[in-house]
Amino acid sequence: MNVYDSWRIAAMLDARGMCATKSVADADIIILNTCSVREKATNKVFSELGRIRDTKKPDALFGIVGCVAREAGAKAFHRIPELNFVLGPQSYHRLPEILENPDTKLLNIDLAGLEKFDELPQMIKAPTVSYIPIQEGCNHCCTYCIVPYTRGREISRAFDDVMRDTAAAAKTGAVEICFLGQNVNGYKYTDENGKTYRLSDLIRATAVMPEIRRIRFTSSYPTEMTDDLIDMFRTEPKLLPFLNMPIQSGSPDVLKRMNRPYSLDSYLEIIDKLRAARPDIQISSDFIVGFPGETDSDFEKTVDIARRVKYINSYSFKYSPRPHTAAALMPNQIPENIKRARLAILDNELNEIQREFNEQCINKTMLCLCEGPDKTGRHLLYRTPYMQQCIVTKKTDQAPETMAQIKITAANRASLRGEFVKD
Ligand code: SAH
């Protein structure tokens, strides 16, 4: 979502005749887009702002946007008095106001509505992989999570608005659409005639666009994986056989304290249904280790479930206490050294599973999407349907095919090697 927000901010400035610079010292405006899901990123923001202040041109405007801005509010101006603007994730469309009135201080951290989508200029050229936000905020109150506070309550965009953006992206260069939302599969929009649209309706309407070759969505909440959506994996070949569906922990006790309302059985049942719909589907997860009160035996259950589901492309984090969240106040916070040790064990396991899966891909042929040349310029980087990176040696100087059939020839934990298949 932050990558998407950054694009839109860049496009907004582009529409006003500005362009990106290579260094902070050359810039007339500097914008730090921020995330506050974990504490580490938040801590880095203010030291980075201090560095920017000391390197930028004296009259350059600078400010922060995103969730740390929302969280810091007016306090940000106290910490760094030179800041010109502080804008939350739902109000960055107001950025041009500071260009018009550079001598003011602009502060807006409201969460009201989705008006930014109406205010932002249309994208002129869509990236090959285009993110399309369909909902923002979250109504699930996971006890560790700051998102409901920083992005607000869940709100879905109008079906017609989403499809207008998707069609515009398809017409101006998008080949892959990734629908975005903090709780993307909770998407639900009822129009003035009382017709309700779900994520499955968006997928079906996008799959008929000839320019669009691949569709995916992130991130999903397990209990909102409804049958109509699972069925899309059976009926829509453009929907990639890959799904991020975070389990967070393998311990029923920890899940309860996290306020995640599923049992291991009900979660595994959803995976069974997904595999019945699309036998080649692979699942990815997010994991939190060292949640308050997590015992060794709780943690082992997380490692067990990772092995059992064989998650690929997963994310794992040490629990980070966040303001405004219930878990930050829970007893039995886990010491840092234990969190670190558990994370290393889980990461090791996840890497092993990834390497196994990557090796199983050897000799398979997959339709992959080109992301451009690598650093050396001798190879092309492709993305498989499972989001693995695949390195292919360039044969000619001709522009690469955006989509190509690639036979996987070698694999390690981090990436694949492949060659073009002539059809
Ligand atoms: N559904 C949301 C989740 C955002 S946070 C979205 O995609 O926008 C992404 C992941 O960060 C979560 O799935 C969780 O595993 C992790 N996370 C969230 N809060 C955390 C915290 N307080 N400490 C550690 N990890 C956290």
Side-chain angles (χ1 to χ4, degrees):
M1 192 66 96
N2 277 43
V3 169
Y4 168 83
D5 289 338
S6 294
W7 278 0
R8 295 309 301 257
I9 291 167
M12 197 159 64
L13 296 176
D14 210 53
R16 295 182 164 251
M18 306 183 89
C19 65
T21 63
K22 287 228 161 62
S23 83
V24 167
D26 296 332
D28 296 312
I29 179 164
I30 302 137
I31 304 151
L32 201 61
N33 189 13
T34 60
C35 171
S36 63
V37 162
R38 283 169 297 277
E39 195 183 9
K40 198 166 153 201
T42 302
N43 289 343
K44 281 198 261 181
V45 169
F46 283 92
S47 54
E48 188 62 30
L49 284 173
R51 252 195 307 278
I52 293 171
R53 175 189 54 198
D54 300 338
T55 359
K56 74 182 187 72
K57 291 197 280 199
D59 58 347
L61 297 168
F62 90 126
I64 52 173
V65 302
C67 295
V68 178
R70 149 105 183 131
E71 170 64 19
K75 276 188 288 184
F77 290 122
H78 298 146
R79 286 184 69 173
I80 312 265
E82 295 85 350
L83 277 175
N84 303 94
F85 54 92
V86 175
L87 293 170
Q90 310 298 24
S91 36
Y92 61 77
H93 58 284
R94 295 190 49 191
L95 191 65
E97 290 173 29
I98 199 73
L99 300 173
E100 273 137 37
N101 300 298
D103 297 328
T104 56
K105 298 258 176 209
L106 180 61
L107 170 70
N108 192 306
I109 53 168
D110 294 347
L111 288 178
L114 291 175
E115 61 170 273
K116 71 173 177 223
F117 292 111
D118 302 323
E119 303 286 328
L120 293 166
Q122 275 295 315
M123 302 267 271
I124 299 164
K125 163 111 189 62
T128 312
V129 177
S130 279
Y131 294 122
I132 309 277
I134 65 171
Q135 66 85 231
E136 274 203 49
C138 191
N139 284 351
H140 295 292
C141 282
C142 303
T143 54
Y144 50 81
C145 190
I146 198 173
V147 165
Y149 177 79
T150 52
R151 293 249 176 201
R153 306 304 281 172
E154 206 167 306
I155 169 161
S156 291
R157 295 179 67 198
F159 177 81
D160 287 349
D161 288 356
V162 174
M163 289 318 299
R164 187 200 58 218
D165 285 1
T166 307
K171 289 277 174 272
T172 62
V175 171
E176 178 176 305
I177 293 291
C178 178
F179 290 120
L180 283 186
Q182 273 83 35
N183 182 30
V184 74
N185 55 346
Y187 177 83
K188 195 173 193 178
Y189 176 77
T190 305
D191 70 11
E192 52 287 354
N193 304 319
K195 182 165 164 39
T196 295
Y197 297 89
R198 302 295 313 253
L199 175 55
S200 53
D201 297 299
L202 291 171
I203 293 168
R204 208 176 297 111
T206 303
V208 298
M209 297 178 185
E211 301 87 352
I212 301 303
R213 308 284 298 276
R214 320 211 293 189
I215 304 170
R216 59 191 170 103
F217 54 88
T218 197
S219 46
S220 293
Y221 191 80
T223 57
E224 308 225 47
M225 216 57 222
T226 48
D227 288 344
D228 59 314
L229 184 56
I230 293 174
D231 221 41
M232 288 293 109
F233 287 96
R234 190 190 322 271
T235 55
E236 289 300 346
K238 289 184 183 178
L239 184 61
L240 291 180
F242 176 68
L243 176 69
N244 174 259
M245 188 170 74
I247 191 166
Q248 309 295 358
S249 167
S251 154
D253 292 340
V254 172
L255 287 174
K256 204 170 284 159
R257 288 202 301 284
M258 287 178 164
N259 195 29
R260 303 278 293 181
Y262 43 83
S263 64
L264 291 191
D265 283 347
S266 64
Y267 179 92
L268 292 171
E269 224 170 82
I270 301 165
I271 294 193
D272 286 345
K273 281 193 198 173
L274 285 160
R275 289 192 171 142
R278 187 83 190 248
D280 62 348
I281 199 167
Q282 297 294 332
I283 313 291
S284 132
S285 180
D286 299 356
F287 296 95
I288 297 177
V289 302
F291 187 80
E294 184 187 71
T295 61
D296 281 335
S297 128
D298 288 325
F299 172 66
E300 275 158 28
K301 289 177 184 150
T302 299
V303 179
D304 278 351
I305 199 84
R307 273 199 205 113
R308 191 155 157 200
V309 177
K310 292 197 182 300
Y311 290 108
I312 63 160
N313 298 356
S314 294
Y315 300 94
S316 41
F317 311 103
K318 287 181 289 185
Y319 167 71
S320 165
R322 308 305 297 124
H324 319 284
T325 62
L329 305 174
M330 286 180 184
N332 305 319
Q333 298 281 329
I334 305 295
E336 184 59 27
N337 59 337
I338 297 185
K339 286 192 214 175
R340 197 179 317 124
R342 286 182 185 165
L343 185 65
I345 294 170
L346 179 62
D347 280 348
N348 198 34
E349 196 62 42
L350 292 172
N351 285 339
E352 210 31 51
I353 299 168
Q354 183 77 45
R355 192 183 52 75
E356 253 171 54
F357 176 66
N358 288 355
E359 283 172 359
Q360 283 162 18
C361 293
I362 296 175
N363 290 327
K364 293 211 169 105
T365 297
M366 303 197 242
L367 186 61
C368 301
L369 181 127
C370 189
E371 293 188 328
D374 72 348
K375 280 199 210 95
T376 68
R378 283 185 292 127
H379 309 289
L380 291 166
L381 300 177
Y382 277 82
R383 194 61 63 180
T384 74
Y386 300 106
M387 297 296 125
Q388 299 144 293
Q389 186 179 71
C390 182
I391 304 163
V392 184
T393 305
K394 246 165 118 174
K395 285 230 184 75
T396 64
D397 281 338
Q398 280 166 358
E401 296 275 340
T402 308
M403 298 288 297
Q405 291 286 358
I406 289 171
K407 184 174 173 192
I408 310 305
T409 53
N412 60 29
R413 182 192 66 71
S415 63
L416 306 174
R417 280 281 190 160
E419 58 192 31
F420 293 111
V421 179
K422 287 274 161 274
D423 43 2

